[in-house]
Amino acid sequence: MAASLLDVAAELGSEEEDEDFDDETGQVRNKANGTNGAIDDSSEEEEDDDDEEAARKIREGFIEDSDEEEDEETVRERRRARRKRRREREAEEEALDEEDLDLIGVGPRPAEPKFKRLKRRHQDDEGPAEPRGVHDIFSDEDEAVDGQERRPGRSRFDADDLDLGDFIEDDEFPDEEGDRLREEAEVARPTAKGFAGVNGLSAQGLDEASIEDMRAAFGDGTEYDWALELQEAMDEEQQDPDKPLELKDVFEPSQLAEKMLTDEDNEIRNTDVPERFQLARKPFQQPELSEEEALARAKEEAIWISNMILPKKRFDREMVEPFQKSVAKVLEFMNVEDYEVPFIFQHRKDYLIHAVRVPTDPDSNNPNAPETTLTAQKLLNQGDLWEIFELDLKFRALVEKREALSRAHESLKSLHGIQDDIFEDMLPSAVTMEELQDIQDYLHFQYASELKEVNHAEAEQSGAQKRTSALKTVFEKIRSSKVYQFVRAFGIAADDFAQNALQTSKRRYTEDASERPDDMADSLVEAPDYSTGAQVARAGKAMFVEELTMSPRMRKLMRQTYYTQGLFDCFRTDKGLRRIDEDHPYYEFKYLRGQDFSAMARRPELYLKMLKAEEEGLIEIKIRLDRFELFKERLFKEIESDNYSEVADAWNALRREVLETALTKLEKIMVKGVKENLKAECENQLARSCREEYSRKLDQAPYRPKGEVLGTQPRVLALSNGNGNAGRDAICWAWVDDDSKVKDHGKFVDLRLGNAEKYLPDGRDVQAFKDLLSRRKPDVIAVSGFSVETRKLYQDLRDIIDKYDLRGPSYDDDDGNETTDKMDVQLVNDEVARLYHTSDRAAADYPKLAPLVRYCAALAKYVQDPMKEYAALGRDIISITFDPNQHLIPQEKLLKYLETAMVDYVNLVGVEVNEAVADPYVANLLPYVCGLGPRKANQLLKVVNLNGSYVNTREELLGNGSENENMMMAVTAKVWTNCASFLYITYDSTEEHADYLDNTRVHPEDYDLGRKMAADALDFDEEDVKAEVDEYGPAAVVRKLVKDDEQEKVNDLILEQYAEQLESSFNQRKRATLETIRAELQQPYEELRRPFGFLLTDEIFTMLTGETKDSLCENMIVPVNIRRIFQDHMEVRLDSGIEGGVSSAEYPEGVGEEFGGKDPRQVFTQGQTTQAKLLYLNRKALTAQLSLRDDALRRPYVKDIDRIPGEWDGVQEEQDKRTAQKEIESSRGRQHRVVKHPLFRNFNTRQAEEFLGSGVRGDVVIRPSSRGLDHLAVTWKVADNVYQHIDVLELDKENEFSVGRTLKIGGKYSYSDLDDLIANHVRAMAKKVDEMMGDERYQDGSKTQTDQWLETYTEANPKRSMYAFCINPKFPGHFFLCFKAGRDAPLASWPVKIIPNAFELRGNPYPDMRNLKNGFKVLIMNQNMGRR
């Protein structure tokens, strides 16, 4: 059977096996050993041996049953024998062969035989390669092989024997696929297994020295034996027929990773630690510490984290110690107990609050008043807990790095006797990664050679590859030479100087040498490296500079100084000068100066935009020290000596010089680190603001139907008119019941009310809409869409409801009377629905519904529960805008912060575990439950389904508390502790084993407290409780409290006494927990989110228009499209869809008959786009008032920014403006023009190309022309660094400054206005460029590279011909069509020109690429026909 599964014909062996292949018949000859096509494979031979041995044992009676397992020792012996036989077979391959010896130049190379053996293909032999005809470029058939009849026309390229009968065909070229398949069918000669060694090289003529050099360079061939043996063992394991089949044997690793089915994923599932903890702590090792070390480490971490958070809290001094204790307790919960943030916040809340009793003033009117009162102050909120979690990870990294440095120092001490006081002093006080990096740099600078020896020794000890010792660094050479005496002569060590500057200890004084620096340098000359005094002095200064630069204390001083006195300045580059105009988003910091760290921290998005602009080469951010000269002078005093002599002055001058150089080097190091640290902090701040906004969106309960409690899911009718295009977009609707299922859907066409006065009837669908409301009785109508037309639909629906008094479902008011209200219509946030309705998930959920109906379904579900809709998005959540600048944050960091918000609110609301099992929509929430994650959530669902698809009690998740003995564990113990209270089970009083507390936020660890409170509320004594429990089980007392509807009695309990008793007797702080239990006994899992949030005016404005307060506001100049023109006013529409009006008073000068001007219909035309100034914007009604007056348009919009004096370089700004204006006016004698068009710029050619440089293909700039006022120039981007400049002739001009009514290009194309020209000329050509560059025959490289590709292709395929397209950068808008008719034919090319809506080849236009390529074939055919 195994043999039948082996495709013997597809396997090729060695050259000897090739000899058994008959070249003429194509059949396999019988081998001498009698096998026919059998493969001489070592594994088969071993299996045969094993089979014979097994048969012999059976015959001898050693094996009685074939199913009995073999002894482990027998298996090992068999494997050893198998490896021995393999080594014997491969022994002859281990020595270097002739080609290897020739490669390294060893030994005489024998003469090559006259004829070399050619490896035959296991296919029919082909004839000699012949160049094919030009027509073969387009052939879709593979060439015939030798021995078969060739088709006519398949010969060398010759015009006399061309057969072009079926020349024109679809441009499909399967020849590459055929070549690929043929290549895959070939099998190369198997390479020899193992590595050749260098043993035996002496026989090849090498002496011992040469062989030793080779060993030093390449090793002796045994370095990787361990890897080969490991690979051999793995191969044997994989070939083991008894090995069970695993997923990784079937699926690709990427597929397993996508489905979270790798071994690592399985380990995460099975490990009893919350999944988020495992993923976050994955990079760190779990240290093995004694109890005392663990306590010391925990105390250190608590203080470290407290110091990080305390500055933001601004607590009083007496709150510092309680705060540190609270942080320490949280860390204990996280690191020792493995409790996640939601668990700590919900069930250990008492440790996040500082409660003290404060004496009260005596009250004469109330002598029984308590003498003290309890005051509580919250120390940590939920956001702080997530920050502590992040800081804990940073502390782990800090400690690991610190311990690594400590181990390196211990190695130096043990191997070389080195004990560095600076290291031992600085390491314990290092509290940041930067300070540890400083110490590491210092250690590697000071002991480079010694550390290399330590690493070498460790490598030898671990058996790793030996490394040759590297050469000494220049500073090590100086340190070991006489030159270092010159360094000592500076009179003060770098660390001593840094301590003086930091003022952390007693001052160290600088001592002067006895001779001048130049004289001392001359006396320390040491050939050959330092043969002159100048070289000695230069090396000594460089060494001292490096010691100052590498000093950890010196770096600490500089870092502190930069953080306290650093100022940020922005300087525009030459590129930024031209690119950043007043409308550019980067203009707000183009000339920004003198910003300190606090200013940057207050506006994190500003600093991140500055970094983005610097990355784009538009600005340069420089950090300088405020009053830097004073700082330098203070340092000079610390390093100079106090002596007065010529020698002292010379040395002081040298010290100043060295310090200047060191400060310059330190500045570069500090600036880089400071910028990176501030970037990370600003990203964190911006991510936190996104998290807060996301939390605000999640903090919405479902829309509350009238008369229902908060949290009840409503029945929703959702409607949308999409883009609202009249006559094209219908009004789609979907009705979603309270079980979140789409029960009905449809569409309307006309819902406008009629006008009785004008005898206009209602729209044809008004009655159908009324019938729908009457039939379905929705609780709310949700409306949304993609344009401002949605506002009209919203108003139409409200008008219908008001006119016909349509009412919602009835409900009981506060007095118990049945009543109804008018149907509620709401505009609903559609950010989730927009992402959903065209997604694959929507198509899978509703395959038969139109996209707009899916959009309505998503709107309705959002109204029912926004949190579930956001959770269903998964990673697509980052597509929603929480902050306009969130694109400046790395996606993974943003996702991490957004996930914490979802985790908070999912655990606040809880998940009904049986609903999650039954409904994938609810199951989307499970990964965010405390303790779970995507892997553990999937495991939970899988196990619950295996256990019967229903959970009766929380204990069943552990596999306990059920009569089913075979019940599997869905979650492990620690994970269950984390998630138990957030997975609830709806209480069913008819179920015998149902526990009311399983339906509450009460954790199972506190069930006894809840039962005790219920018993006290019912006034049960111990005997009553025992009797009830004995008869009905542990949950009996709570069940009775609920059954008798007496939950309110728990309000009479004095919980303070409970709390004090628990703390004194059991050392448990449960005051907040008891309050939670009391609330949950009365209303389990009460909805704690805010009521459903309705959109504000600005939010509706942004949703329907896409504009914000910054992008569209009064006094802006905007393009408008003229809809209708009247004598007294004009109706226009903005790009955003906002309807606008222009009164006659705002017409341009000379327009308007009431002012004695022209009729506006003679000046403007319907459908024309023109510039207008926005005078008033009604964001609620989505209407605007605008002006076309020339004086208004001449006043540009200037954003009003309130700047602090001195933070803006106005002088530089004015100078740049004057320079730019002069350049524009003087460039090529071009006159300044003002054209009312958003794409017009007063640019020259170079400026236009630079402006379009970062744009996309097809971007356009309209600019003045150097040919005069009756010309315009249009520059558009064809490709990167390729721009076409089009000359436009203006005809029928009103005056010399206006734009002509007719625009002509090349005397061939005419257009009515600039918009017409751009749309039908430039955009049309850009579309053709896109089509060309997207074609399969297009090559991205230059013509030379394309020609080379054709050469390579025809060399590899001698009988085939090929062609390709590439761009012609010298003539923008032109392309090359390069072709080669076979291997021996010359290269050729024809030009292809892009024209509007077509390609032009040799004067012939072609509408698309297919026609162009077929046209090329026709031209080739005609050309060759003409040669006959």
Side-chain angles (χ1 to χ4, degrees):
M1 180 177 179
S4 65
L5 297 176
L6 186 63
D7 187 5
V8 178
E11 299 194 26
L12 302 180
S14 64
E15 293 183 358
E16 286 73 9
E17 293 170 290
D18 290 338
E19 293 175 355
D20 298 319
F21 188 90
D22 194 307
D23 296 325
E24 296 180 0
T25 65
Q27 301 298 319
V28 181
R29 302 192 192 101
N30 290 336
K31 283 191 174 183
N33 60 5
T35 61
N36 186 23
I39 298 171
D40 184 16
D41 184 72
S42 60
S43 62
E44 287 192 6
E45 180 183 325
E46 293 161 6
E47 290 174 3
D48 293 341
D49 295 342
D50 295 341
D51 292 341
E52 292 176 4
E53 183 179 358
R56 180 178 56 79
K57 288 188 177 182
I58 292 175
R59 287 194 301 269
E60 296 175 0
F62 287 102
I63 301 177
E64 298 180 12
D65 190 348
S66 59
D67 295 332
E68 183 179 345
E69 293 185 0
E70 292 182 300
D71 181 72
E72 185 176 353
E73 181 62 32
T74 304
V75 174
R76 283 200 298 268
E77 182 64 30
R78 180 182 300 172
R79 288 180 177 174
R80 281 196 295 269
R82 189 180 303 169
R83 284 198 294 269
K84 181 178 178 181
R85 288 195 297 271
R86 183 178 294 121
R87 283 196 296 269
E88 290 173 354
R89 285 194 301 271
E90 295 170 356
E92 59 187 18
E93 299 177 1
E94 291 183 357
L96 293 173
D97 61 15
E98 296 172 358
E99 293 182 358
D100 295 330
L101 292 172
D102 181 65
L103 179 64
I104 62 176
V106 177
R109 182 171 181 176
E112 294 185 3
K114 184 176 181 181
F115 302 103
K116 291 186 177 180
R117 174 177 174 81
L118 300 179
K119 186 175 180 66
R120 297 186 180 92
R121 298 175 56 184
H122 286 228
Q123 296 176 3
D124 291 342
D125 289 342
E126 296 180 343
E130 297 182 4
R132 302 172 65 183
V134 174
H135 57 278
D136 290 334
I137 299 176
F138 323 109
S139 171
D140 289 335
E141 302 293 334
D142 291 333
E143 59 271 21
V145 297
D146 289 351
Q148 297 179 4
E149 183 180 356
R150 296 178 63 89
R151 292 191 302 167
R154 291 291 191 259
S155 62
R156 294 180 181 271
F157 177 53
D158 190 347
D160 295 335
D161 55 2
L162 285 173
D163 182 6
L164 302 172
D166 56 344
F167 184 86
I168 299 177
E169 55 192 16
D170 288 347
D171 197 52
E172 299 292 338
F173 298 89
D175 49 328
E176 294 93 339
E177 181 68 16
D179 293 340
R180 183 182 66 79
L181 293 174
R182 285 193 297 274
E183 290 175 2
E184 290 179 354
E186 295 182 5
V187 180
R189 173 184 176 182
T191 58
K193 194 169 182 179
F195 289 89
V198 297
N199 299 324
L201 286 180
S202 58
Q204 304 295 332
L206 290 181
D207 56 16
E208 287 297 330
S210 300
I211 295 175
E212 187 60 34
D213 290 341
M214 289 187 62
R215 285 198 181 98
F218 305 109
D220 59 4
T222 62
E223 292 85 356
Y224 296 100
D225 282 356
W226 61 273
L228 295 174
E229 292 175 1
L230 182 62
Q231 181 65 42
E232 192 174 274
M234 291 174 61
D235 292 343
E236 290 179 1
E237 183 181 353
Q238 291 176 0
Q239 294 171 4
D240 188 355
D242 298 330
K243 180 187 175 185
L245 189 66
E246 298 181 6
L247 287 175
K248 61 185 178 182
D249 300 325
V250 180
F251 298 100
E252 291 292 331
S254 58
Q255 294 176 299
L256 294 177
E258 181 183 356
K259 299 296 185 182
M260 293 184 290
L261 294 173
T262 64
D263 293 341
E264 182 181 345
D265 294 319
N266 292 331
E267 183 180 354
I268 292 174
R269 282 189 189 89
N270 299 327
T271 303
D272 190 16
V273 175
E275 184 170 327
R276 274 175 286 274
F277 278 7
Q278 293 188 58
L279 295 174
R281 297 170 181 172
K282 180 181 175 182
F284 310 109
Q285 296 179 354
Q286 188 66 26
E288 296 181 2
L289 303 175
S290 64
E291 185 176 351
E292 292 182 359
E293 290 174 335
L295 289 174
R297 177 73 58 81
K299 182 177 180 181
E300 179 192 6
E301 183 177 4
I303 295 173
W304 186 82
I305 292 179
S306 299
N307 292 338
M308 294 290 183
I309 302 178
L310 264 174
K312 308 172 188 176
K313 289 294 186 179
R314 299 181 181 178
F315 285 142
D316 295 333
R317 187 183 299 272
E318 61 270 13
M319 296 298 296
V320 172
E321 184 178 354
F323 182 80
Q324 290 179 348
K325 290 182 179 180
S326 180
V327 170
K329 201 66 181 176
V330 169
L331 289 171
E332 180 185 339
F333 293 145
M334 288 182 178
N335 295 330
V336 179
E337 306 292 343
D338 284 326
Y339 293 154
E340 270 209 279
V341 167
F343 180 91
I344 298 171
F345 187 74
Q346 179 66 32
H347 302 298
R348 299 294 184 266
K349 193 173 294 184
D350 294 87
Y351 295 94
L352 313 180
I353 301 171
H354 179 58
V356 293
R357 287 197 171 274
V358 179
T360 57
D361 296 331
D363 186 358
S364 57
N365 298 325
N366 186 10
N368 295 325
E371 298 179 357
T372 60
T373 181
L374 187 67
T375 62
Q377 184 172 0
K378 181 182 288 187
L379 299 174
L380 296 168
N381 56 37
Q382 204 159 2
D384 295 331
L385 297 182
W386 286 112
E387 187 173 0
I388 291 174
F389 175 60
E390 288 298 318
L391 290 173
D392 171 62
L393 300 177
K394 291 184 179 179
F395 184 79
R396 288 169 183 257
L398 185 81
V399 168
E400 282 194 2
K401 189 175 184 68
R402 186 176 66 189
E403 290 180 346
L405 289 173
S406 182
R407 287 193 298 270
H409 185 252
E410 287 298 324
S411 299
L412 288 174
K413 187 185 297 185
S414 61
L415 291 178
H416 298 281
I418 295 173
Q419 184 166 350
D420 193 295
D421 295 335
I422 297 175
F423 178 90
E424 293 181 350
D425 186 29
M426 294 294 295
L427 187 67
S429 61
V431 295
T432 64
M433 292 297 289
E434 293 82 3
E435 293 178 356
L436 288 178
Q437 186 62 46
D438 294 342
I439 297 173
Q440 179 177 317
D441 293 345
Y442 164 78
L443 206 62
H444 283 269
F445 165 71
Q446 200 72 22
Y447 309 106
S449 296
E450 292 83 351
L451 284 172
K452 290 173 186 175
E453 293 180 13
V454 168
N455 293 335
H456 185 69
E458 291 177 352
E460 286 184 336
Q461 187 176 0
S462 62
Q465 184 179 5
K466 300 177 183 178
R467 298 181 182 178
T468 57
S469 300
L471 298 175
K472 287 186 177 182
T473 66
V474 62
F475 297 113
E476 288 179 297
K477 290 180 179 179
I478 294 174
R479 195 179 288 116
S480 61
S481 68
K482 291 194 299 183
V483 178
Y484 200 68
Q485 297 179 29
F486 188 88
V487 179
R488 293 194 185 98
F490 278 94
I492 188 171
D495 186 67
D496 292 340
F497 163 67
Q499 290 189 55
N500 287 346
L502 285 168
Q503 299 178 351
T504 56
S505 62
K506 185 178 179 181
R507 176 180 170 83
R508 274 82 166 171
Y509 291 95
T510 305
E511 299 293 335
D512 289 324
S514 58
E515 52 185 334
R516 290 174 54 86
D518 49 355
D519 295 334
M520 178 176 283
D522 292 336
S523 66
L524 297 174
V525 170
E526 186 177 5
D529 295 328
Y530 313 106
S531 54
T532 65
Q535 291 178 341
V536 171
R538 185 164 57 249
K541 288 190 293 184
M543 184 68 186
F544 195 49
V545 166
E546 199 68 15
E547 287 186 346
L548 288 170
T549 305
M550 291 295 177
S551 169
R553 283 195 176 89
M554 192 65 192
R555 290 191 178 186
K556 183 177 182 179
L557 167 69
M558 292 298 293
R559 189 173 290 110
Q560 289 177 357
T561 306
Y562 266 91
Y563 278 120
T564 56
Q565 301 179 25
L567 297 176
F568 292 80
D569 295 329
C570 284
F571 294 91
R572 90 289 181 277
T573 61
D574 292 338
K575 182 180 178 181
L577 172 63
R578 293 181 292 272
R579 289 287 307 279
I580 304 177
D581 57 16
E582 293 186 358
D583 296 328
H584 200 283
Y586 294 162
Y587 193 80
E588 62 178 328
F589 51 79
K590 185 177 181 180
Y591 302 101
L592 196 63
R593 304 285 192 269
Q595 299 295 295
D596 58 18
F597 278 85
S598 61
M600 292 289 98
R602 286 193 298 270
R603 295 189 60 191
E605 75 286 349
L606 177 67
Y607 180 69
L608 294 176
K609 284 195 286 186
M610 288 164 56
L611 290 176
K612 182 69 174 174
E614 185 177 45
E615 183 183 339
E616 295 173 6
L618 301 178
I619 68 166
E620 182 182 0
I621 303 174
K622 294 183 179 180
I623 306 179
R624 58 182 170 87
L625 288 179
D626 192 18
R627 298 185 294 275
F628 182 54
E629 293 301 322
L630 293 176
F631 174 71
K632 278 201 304 185
E633 287 299 325
R634 185 172 72 83
L635 294 183
F636 288 154
K637 291 179 181 179
E638 299 294 345
I639 200 173
E640 291 176 347
S641 70
D642 298 332
N643 298 327
Y644 295 94
S645 67
E646 183 180 351
V647 173
D649 291 344
W651 279 107
N652 283 338
L654 194 61
R655 292 180 187 116
R656 293 172 72 98
E657 177 188 345
V658 167
L659 184 56
E660 283 268 14
T661 307
L663 289 177
T664 302
K665 294 187 70 173
L666 284 168
E667 179 185 6
K668 295 178 181 178
I669 298 172
M670 292 302 109
V671 166
K672 181 180 179 182
V674 163
K675 289 171 72 172
E676 288 300 320
N677 287 343
L678 185 58
K679 176 185 178 182
E681 181 57 32
C682 288
E683 287 177 351
N684 291 339
Q685 280 189 246
L686 192 56
R688 278 193 286 268
S689 70
C690 293
R691 180 186 184 276
E692 291 172 2
E693 177 61 20
Y694 191 27
S695 297
R696 188 187 67 82
K697 293 176 181 289
L698 293 173
D699 191 14
Q700 298 182 83
Y703 175 91
R704 184 170 69 89
K706 296 292 178 61
E708 301 291 343
V709 298
L710 190 65
T712 304
Q713 282 206 162
R715 296 165 297 180
V716 185
L717 175 66
L719 297 95
S720 177
N721 58 355
N723 291 314
N725 296 319
R728 286 193 297 174
D729 294 331
I731 302 170
C732 292
W733 59 269
W735 184 73
V736 180
D737 206 350
D738 54 8
D739 59 357
S740 298
K741 306 295 182 185
V742 178
K743 297 297 181 62
D744 200 359
H745 63 90
K747 67 177 182 179
F748 300 126
V749 177
D750 188 0
L751 288 178
R752 289 173 296 178
L753 282 177
N755 190 325
E757 296 179 358
K758 297 181 180 180
Y759 302 102
L760 295 176
D762 289 343
R764 64 182 185 180
D765 293 316
V766 171
Q767 185 59 45
F769 175 70
K770 291 163 56 181
D771 295 341
L772 176 64
L773 295 186
S774 176
R775 184 174 73 254
R776 290 301 185 184
K777 295 290 185 184
D779 295 307
V780 62
I781 298 175
V783 181
S784 200
F786 311 141
S787 71
V788 295
E789 297 298 319
T790 301
R791 181 82 189 188
K792 296 179 181 178
L793 172 62
Y794 168 77
Q795 194 58 50
D796 288 342
L797 295 178
R798 296 196 60 166
D799 291 343
I800 294 172
I801 290 170
D802 290 340
K803 179 177 179 180
Y804 295 102
D805 194 27
L806 302 179
R807 295 187 168 269
S810 59
Y811 65 95
D812 293 337
D813 59 15
D814 295 338
D815 298 330
N817 300 320
E818 185 175 335
T819 184
T820 59
D821 293 334
K822 279 189 177 180
M823 183 63 65
D824 191 13
V825 184
Q826 293 291 340
L827 280 167
V828 177
N829 188 340
D830 72 336
E831 59 189 8
V832 178
R834 289 196 188 206
L835 293 174
Y836 174 79
H837 78 290
T838 57
S839 67
D840 295 338
R841 184 165 58 91
D845 292 344
Y846 307 110
K848 297 182 179 180
L849 300 186
L852 196 56
V853 179
R854 298 172 188 162
Y855 173 84
C856 293
L859 283 179
K861 288 186 176 182
Y862 182 88
V863 175
Q864 290 182 333
D865 195 339
M867 185 180 72
K868 290 180 182 177
E869 282 296 285
Y870 285 118
L873 287 178
R875 291 181 63 90
D876 291 338
I877 190 65
I878 58 176
S879 301
I880 292 177
T881 300
F882 302 101
D883 187 282
N885 301 293
Q886 71 184 47
H887 63 280
L888 300 171
I889 313 171
Q891 285 192 1
E892 290 302 320
K893 178 178 284 190
L894 179 60
L895 272 171
K896 182 178 67 175
Y897 275 86
L898 296 179
E899 182 187 14
T900 61
M902 178 61 76
V903 169
D904 287 346
Y905 279 92
V906 167
N907 290 282
L908 175 71
V909 176
V911 178
E912 215 292 350
V913 64
N914 289 309
E915 287 185 10
V917 172
D919 188 353
Y921 182 57
V922 180
N924 289 326
L925 301 175
L926 277 181
Y928 303 101
V929 171
C930 180
L932 301 182
R935 298 163 186 82
K936 289 185 181 292
N938 289 338
Q939 179 75 0
L940 184 148
L941 293 174
K942 179 181 177 181
V943 173
V944 170
N945 281 311
L946 291 174
N947 287 341
S949 303
Y950 193 84
V951 180
N952 296 292
T953 66
R954 284 170 171 167
E955 281 193 0
E956 286 187 4
L957 295 174
L958 280 173
N960 303 329
S962 173
E963 297 177 356
N964 182 4
E965 296 180 356
N966 297 322
M967 179 168 288
M968 300 171 60
M969 178 186 291
V971 291
T972 50
K974 281 187 180 178
V975 175
W976 181 82
T977 302
N978 274 278
C979 71
S981 63
F982 306 108
L983 296 175
Y984 65 91
I985 301 160
T986 303
Y987 176 68
D988 185 356
S989 59
T990 62
E991 288 288 337
E992 180 181 355
H993 299 290
D995 192 334
Y996 180 83
L997 293 177
D998 282 342
N999 189 34
T1000 67
R1001 291 184 173 91
V1002 180
H1003 195 277
E1005 69 179 9
D1006 297 320
Y1007 277 10
D1008 289 341
L1009 292 177
R1011 292 161 183 167
K1012 169 67 173 169
M1013 291 172 62
D1016 290 347
L1018 292 172
D1019 292 329
F1020 277 16
D1021 56 22
E1022 292 184 4
E1023 294 181 358
D1024 296 333
V1025 172
K1026 186 177 185 304
E1028 196 75 19
V1029 169
D1030 290 344
E1031 184 173 358
Y1032 299 108
V1037 176
V1038 179
R1039 288 171 64 97
K1040 181 171 180 57
L1041 181 74
V1042 175
K1043 181 179 179 181
D1044 296 344
D1045 197 18
E1046 295 182 326
Q1047 295 100 311
E1048 291 186 358
K1049 286 186 175 182
V1050 296
N1051 291 326
D1052 300 331
L1053 300 176
I1054 304 175
L1055 299 183
E1056 189 62 36
Q1057 295 179 0
Y1058 282 87
E1060 291 176 356
Q1061 184 179 359
L1062 287 170
E1063 187 166 5
S1064 61
S1065 303
F1066 302 101
N1067 195 27
Q1068 295 180 354
R1069 297 166 63 175
K1070 293 283 187 178
R1071 181 69 177 81
T1073 302
L1074 292 172
E1075 289 288 352
T1076 300
I1077 296 173
R1078 173 154 59 186
E1080 292 296 316
L1081 285 174
Q1082 297 178 74
Q1083 188 170 350
Y1085 258 103
E1086 178 186 5
E1087 179 62 70
L1088 300 179
R1089 290 175 291 180
R1090 294 182 299 107
F1092 185 81
F1094 300 111
L1095 293 175
L1096 303 176
T1097 298
D1098 287 340
E1099 293 173 331
I1100 295 173
F1101 175 81
T1102 299
M1103 181 181 74
L1104 298 181
T1105 66
E1107 304 284 0
T1108 64
K1109 287 184 176 180
D1110 294 329
S1111 64
L1112 187 65
C1113 60
E1114 282 84 356
N1115 295 321
M1116 279 188 172
I1117 297 175
V1118 295
V1120 296
N1121 184 267
I1122 300 174
R1123 309 304 298 272
R1124 292 197 293 177
I1125 305 171
F1126 302 94
Q1127 285 288 348
D1128 59 342
H1129 74 283
M1130 188 183 301
E1131 295 179 3
V1132 299
R1133 175 176 289 176
L1134 279 67
D1135 288 342
S1136 58
I1138 295 175
E1139 301 288 346
V1142 181
S1143 65
S1144 58
E1146 299 300 331
Y1147 284 170
E1149 186 177 353
V1151 178
E1153 293 185 352
E1154 60 179 303
F1155 300 105
K1158 293 182 179 180
D1159 188 329
R1161 284 167 288 196
Q1162 296 177 350
V1163 179
F1164 299 101
T1165 59
Q1166 187 173 343
Q1168 177 184 348
T1169 300
T1170 186
Q1171 298 290 100
K1173 186 153 194 172
L1174 185 59
L1175 301 179
Y1176 173 71
L1177 179 63
N1178 188 330
R1179 296 178 180 271
K1180 185 174 183 179
L1182 302 179
T1183 59
Q1185 291 295 320
L1186 303 105
S1187 174
L1188 298 175
R1189 294 175 60 87
D1190 294 332
D1191 57 343
L1193 293 174
R1194 280 195 292 267
R1195 295 192 302 272
Y1197 169 74
V1198 179
K1199 187 176 181 180
D1200 186 20
I1201 301 177
D1202 185 18
R1203 300 193 183 279
I1204 300 173
E1207 73 170 14
W1208 190 258
D1209 193 346
V1211 175
Q1212 184 68 52
E1213 181 184 29
E1214 288 299 322
Q1215 181 181 341
D1216 288 347
K1217 286 182 178 179
R1218 288 194 299 268
T1219 303
Q1221 188 64 32
K1222 288 179 182 178
E1223 184 178 352
I1224 291 173
E1225 294 176 355
S1226 62
S1227 177
R1228 299 186 183 179
R1230 185 181 289 115
Q1231 301 187 43
H1232 183 73
R1233 290 189 65 177
V1234 177
V1235 175
K1236 299 175 183 177
H1237 195 277
L1239 298 179
F1240 180 81
R1241 298 286 190 279
N1242 268 299
F1243 287 164
N1244 57 27
T1245 302
R1246 178 176 57 81
Q1247 291 171 325
E1249 291 181 356
E1250 290 180 353
F1251 179 79
L1252 295 171
S1254 62
V1256 297
R1257 189 186 308 138
D1259 282 0
V1260 187
V1261 163
I1262 305 169
R1263 56 189 180 85
S1265 173
S1266 59
R1267 299 190 178 186
L1269 294 175
D1270 60 345
H1271 286 260
L1272 283 172
V1274 174
T1275 300
W1276 69 284
K1277 184 173 183 177
V1278 180
D1280 289 341
N1281 300 318
V1282 181
Y1283 308 91
Q1284 187 178 43
H1285 306 281
I1286 303 172
D1287 177 56
V1288 180
L1289 176 64
E1290 302 175 72
L1291 302 176
D1292 194 16
K1293 294 167 65 77
E1294 288 187 5
N1295 55 64
E1296 62 178 359
F1297 294 104
S1298 64
V1299 179
R1301 292 190 177 93
T1302 302
L1303 306 176
K1304 295 187 73 69
I1305 296 178
K1308 185 176 180 181
Y1309 305 101
S1310 298
Y1311 302 99
S1312 59
D1313 56 31
L1314 289 172
D1315 290 314
D1316 184 21
L1317 182 148
I1318 291 171
N1320 296 314
H1321 192 91
V1322 178
R1323 303 288 188 213
M1325 290 197 296
K1327 185 177 180 181
K1328 290 292 136 187
V1329 172
D1330 288 338
E1331 186 178 350
M1332 169 70 77
M1333 291 186 168
D1335 190 81
E1336 62 180 1
R1337 287 282 179 248
Y1338 180 77
Q1339 294 287 322
D1340 287 329
S1342 63
K1343 184 177 183 298
T1344 302
Q1345 293 171 319
T1346 304
D1347 289 343
Q1348 181 61 45
W1349 181 82
L1350 291 173
E1351 291 277 10
T1352 304
Y1353 182 88
T1354 52
E1355 281 292 333
N1357 304 272
K1359 297 182 180 181
R1360 301 195 63 82
S1361 304
M1362 184 51 63
Y1363 69 98
F1365 298 91
C1366 65
I1367 197 167
N1368 184 350
K1370 293 184 178 179
F1371 296 94
H1374 289 71
F1375 290 80
F1376 289 113
L1377 196 168
C1378 307
F1379 58 93
K1380 192 172 190 296
R1383 181 182 64 184
D1384 300 328
L1387 288 164
S1389 65
W1390 289 351
V1392 178
K1393 181 181 179 182
I1394 303 295
I1395 60 176
N1397 298 312
F1399 304 97
E1400 187 175 282
L1401 177 65
R1402 295 208 161 188
N1404 302 306
Y1406 301 97
D1408 53 38
M1409 286 299 297
R1410 179 175 177 178
N1411 283 278
L1412 172 64
K1413 290 185 280 191
N1414 286 332
F1416 166 55
K1417 302 170 189 178
V1418 173
L1419 291 173
I1420 285 286
M1421 178 184 65
N1422 293 338
Q1423 175 177 301
N1424 288 294
M1425 292 291 292
R1427 292 178 181 175
R1428 293 185 174 181

